[in-house]
Amino acid sequence: MWVGLACHFIGFDTLFMQSWRIREPVMWLTEYLTGNRKTYGMNKVGGVARDLPSDYEERILPVIGTIETETLGVVDAILGDSSLQARLAGTGIITPEDARAFCVLGPTARGSGVDIDARRDHPFAAYDEVEFEVCVEQGCDIWARTLVRIRETIESIKILRQLLDKMPDGPVMAEFDEIPPYRVGISSVEAPRGEVHHYAMTGPDNRPYRWRVRAPSYNNLQVIPSMLRGQRIADAPISVGSLDPCFSCTERMAVIDQDSGAVKVYKQEELLEMFNRDVIARERSDRSNLLDQGDCFVGLRPPRNDSRRGGDDV
Amino acid sequence: MFKHTISELKEALVCLKAGQVTLPYPFEPSIVEDTFRGRPVLNTRKCMCCGACANACPARLITLTDSDGIRALHFELGRCTYCGNCRDACPQEAIEMSTQFETATANPDDIVIHAEFYLQTCRECGAVVGTQREVDVVREKLSNSPVRTNYADYFDLCITCRRKQAIHTPSLTLEVVP
Ligand code: SF4
Ligand code: SF4
């Protein structure tokens, strides 16, 4: 999906259409397997909601086979495309130092030579039972991120084949009764855009009491100011697009009055006023320090060096 | 330059091989898989307004409200994710996941389900026992089961009054018919 979008951002709509055409059978397949194209409604506490249809293997294997050959075909075609490379190579540079300092995740980090992948570093689900390669590129530019994503598509197909091979029989749901209240669980899962963290606190009546999710786009977006510095404006859309940001994943805050239940929606001016107040306060207290760092984006926390793990306060 | 031309030719080949792939939708209906879960529909003849679906819905869009001897079951389907939890939870199999997916509308009232049920009140104290449909379903289930209560008139008593009666009725027994 990302390859298509990226091509659209730079006006290469042929590849946009072709990569989405290659992707469409996957959507049909998920509709068949889970009941919906996107909102699968599969994962539940303790297992999954329903078993796969009995002919899943016959349905999945041809689809991933076609995707593999078609993706390889497209990749073969674009590798020699000098206009595409002229546009993507050397643009949107994220240095490995920046990548670590801003805690970027997923393909964005791996395109800058940062070798992280939660599937290997903190194995969850069945990832410790399958073999796969963590795709790292050293280019630090958009072309490197493109290569990482394309290689990962092929890797994912390999993982799927292994999983289909090794899938055990058995119930789809674990047995459990009462879940003890007020216990905390944290998980980190490698999603296509990077590590997603979920924090959950159990509550009474087998219900969650608190839940918070930190999506990788939150981290990845922080690198934009440093990535765009010194670039041409025309390169901004594809540079931002190369992070594959999902703004709806990042924007998860609602301000609710606990007593009345009233929801407050902040207007742009109010947010800017709050932000500016913050900036002015910080500038006053720590002006010289900021100037030393040469950083114009003052809303950020100071970069951390031990940033292999995500930086938010989960 | 030469490499670039080859690359462009290959790209053209990819497109030619694919041919036309767009479907005539919306001029022709788009057929969904049989496993597809669309918007839930409620069979109001089967539903007894027990609230199991409201408890199971992760989006919390199903509500039960009592007023004037009527309990209203209300689905605000604008937030529905078509997960099917309500269908799986329903003891009456009253919810079916249809294949409708074209639910865009300018009128929010088009995507709600609203059903109202008469309430059964306790004949002693007037407290709510449940909906009349619920009581009927229990009565029917019991009449078909080998367990028979000797006191069919317990149905229109609330739990507190039932306890009171049971204490004053030493001979209350359950008779199991083999
Ligand atoms: S669970 Fe079924 S019977 Fe109970 S209120 Fe919901 S639809 Fe009606
Ligand atoms: S399908 Fe899921 S979200 Fe929709 S009403 Fe049923 S339980 Fe709620």
Side-chain angles (χ1 to χ4, degrees):
Chain A
M1 184 183 99
W2 176 83
V3 172
L5 275 183
C7 292
H8 178 61
F9 289 141
I10 57 172
F12 188 12
D13 275 357
T14 312
L15 193 54
F16 163 48
M17 293 292 167
Q18 292 305 325
S19 39
W20 281 51
R21 170 182 65 76
I22 297 174
R23 165 185 181 252
E24 187 59 21
V26 183
M27 309 309 288
W28 292 334
L29 184 66
T30 53
E31 180 181 317
Y32 176 69
L33 294 175
T34 69
N36 258 312
R37 288 166 65 96
K38 274 280 168 198
T39 46
Y40 312 133
M42 275 299 237
N43 291 337
K44 276 188 164 185
V45 176
V48 288
R50 56 194 81 80
D51 208 344
L52 293 173
S54 53
D55 60 344
Y56 67 91
E57 222 163 308
E58 293 99 83
R59 296 287 295 245
I60 297 176
L61 284 175
V63 173
I64 58 177
T66 329
I67 298 174
E68 192 171 26
T69 39
E70 298 216 42
T71 312
L72 290 176
V74 167
V75 172
D76 179 45
I78 61 170
L79 278 185
D81 192 325
S82 50
S83 52
L84 196 63
Q85 292 203 18
R87 201 60 216 284
L88 301 184
T91 341
I93 302 271
I94 303 176
T95 60
E97 293 74 44
D98 271 354
R100 285 183 183 279
F102 290 101
C103 312
V104 300
L105 294 165
T108 314
R110 290 194 283 274
S112 292
V114 183
D115 187 6
I116 50 167
D117 191 324
R119 294 175 296 183
R120 180 201 58 201
D121 303 339
H122 318 279
F124 54 93
Y127 280 111
D128 47 352
E129 292 171 37
V130 290
E131 280 180 21
F132 61 95
E133 189 201 341
V134 176
C135 311
V136 182
E137 292 280 340
Q138 307 296 338
C140 304
D141 51 10
I142 305 179
W143 183 244
R145 271 164 248 152
T146 312
L147 290 179
V148 168
R149 290 199 168 97
I150 292 174
R151 281 171 58 198
E152 281 180 354
T153 314
I154 307 294
E155 263 329 287
S156 302
I157 294 172
K158 285 192 196 137
I159 297 178
L160 273 176
R161 290 226 173 87
Q162 295 177 46
L163 288 176
L164 284 177
D165 229 26
K166 293 187 181 169
M167 181 125 62
D169 286 337
V172 291
M173 195 70 173
E175 305 248 333
F176 59 88
D177 334 307
E178 233 20 51
I179 301 172
Y182 308 116
R183 301 276 186 88
V184 170
I186 294 176
S187 84
S188 121
V189 169
E190 187 75 22
R193 294 180 171 105
E195 259 172 68
V196 184
H197 298 278
H198 286 259
Y199 165 99
M201 185 189 269
T202 60
D205 308 328
N206 276 2
R207 287 191 185 289
Y209 179 69
R210 264 164 195 276
W211 171 70
R212 172 158 157 69
V213 56
R214 208 286 321 275
S217 289
Y218 178 82
N219 295 31
N220 290 347
L221 286 174
Q222 316 300 327
V223 81
I224 289 179
S226 94
M227 180 175 67
L228 293 186
R229 196 172 297 143
Q231 278 208 135
R232 270 179 237 149
I233 289 181
D235 286 335
I238 180 63
S239 299
V240 176
S242 76
L243 307 176
D244 195 9
C246 174
F247 295 105
S248 45
C249 294
T250 310
E251 155 75 75
R252 285 182 190 272
M253 233 186 60
V255 180
I256 299 174
D257 189 306
Q258 249 190 339
D259 300 325
S260 66
V263 179
K264 174 153 174 63
V265 177
Y266 280 93
K267 297 209 183 70
Q268 188 185 2
E269 299 85 61
E270 290 173 300
L271 283 174
L272 277 177
E273 192 188 315
M274 275 178 2
F275 179 76
N276 288 338
R277 206 169 52 211
D278 204 31
V279 171
I280 291 163
R282 268 174 208 233
E283 273 188 348
R284 276 212 191 107
S285 71
D286 211 350
R287 184 160 203 133
S288 56
N289 191 2
L290 278 170
L291 289 177
D292 282 350
Q293 287 178 8
D295 201 328
C296 63
F297 199 69
V298 245
L300 286 175
R301 305 174 182 197
R304 278 198 254 151
N305 288 328
D306 57 336
S307 51
R308 272 181 58 120
R309 309 278 296 111
D312 200 24
D313 50 344
V314 265
Chain B
M1 194 59 219
F2 180 61
K3 231 173 110 195
H4 182 67
T5 320
I6 299 225
S7 175
E8 279 185 336
L9 283 176
K10 280 186 186 163
E11 281 162 17
L13 205 68
V14 168
C15 300
L16 281 177
K17 229 169 96 189
Q20 189 195 339
V21 287
T22 39
L23 302 175
Y25 182 79
F27 304 107
E28 280 174 27
S30 169
I31 309 295
V32 290
E33 297 279 0
D34 354 316
T35 45
F36 180 77
R37 293 187 314 275
R39 150 194 189 166
V41 285
L42 178 70
N43 182 337
T44 42
R45 301 245 162 262
K46 285 190 189 168
C47 174
M48 58 176 179
C49 203
C50 67
C53 50
N55 198 25
C57 175
R60 292 274 174 277
L61 57 88
I62 310 176
T63 48
L64 293 173
T65 28
D66 289 0
S67 71
D68 298 335
I70 283 182
R71 179 167 289 176
L73 177 67
H74 191 79
F75 288 62
E76 198 71 52
L77 289 180
R79 298 205 313 277
C80 179
T81 62
Y82 306 157
C83 68
N85 279 5
C86 51
R87 172 196 59 189
D88 297 346
C90 177
Q92 291 289 91
E93 298 181 357
I95 297 179
E96 197 195 323
M97 301 306 283
S98 69
T99 50
Q100 293 173 37
F101 58 90
E102 291 149 320
T103 49
T105 168
N107 179 6
D109 287 343
D110 287 348
I111 43 168
V112 299
I113 300 176
H114 190 88
E116 296 189 343
F117 297 82
Y118 286 116
L119 282 173
Q120 174 79 52
T121 44
C122 174
R123 68 161 192 265
E124 293 288 327
C125 69
V128 172
V129 180
T131 58
Q132 289 184 2
R133 185 75 67 76
E134 257 175 316
V135 174
D136 289 347
V137 168
V138 174
R139 188 180 282 130
E140 195 194 315
K141 288 220 161 127
L142 276 180
S143 72
N144 293 333
S145 86
V147 182
R148 295 212 195 290
T149 59
N150 293 342
Y151 295 90
D153 55 342
Y154 271 69
F155 285 121
D156 49 3
L157 286 179
C158 73
I159 186 141
T160 323
C161 298
R162 235 178 276 173
R163 281 188 188 134
K164 278 186 202 151
Q165 287 242 340
I167 289 165
H168 295 130
T169 321
S171 63
L172 174 70
T173 49
L174 290 178
E175 178 195 341
V176 179
V177 181

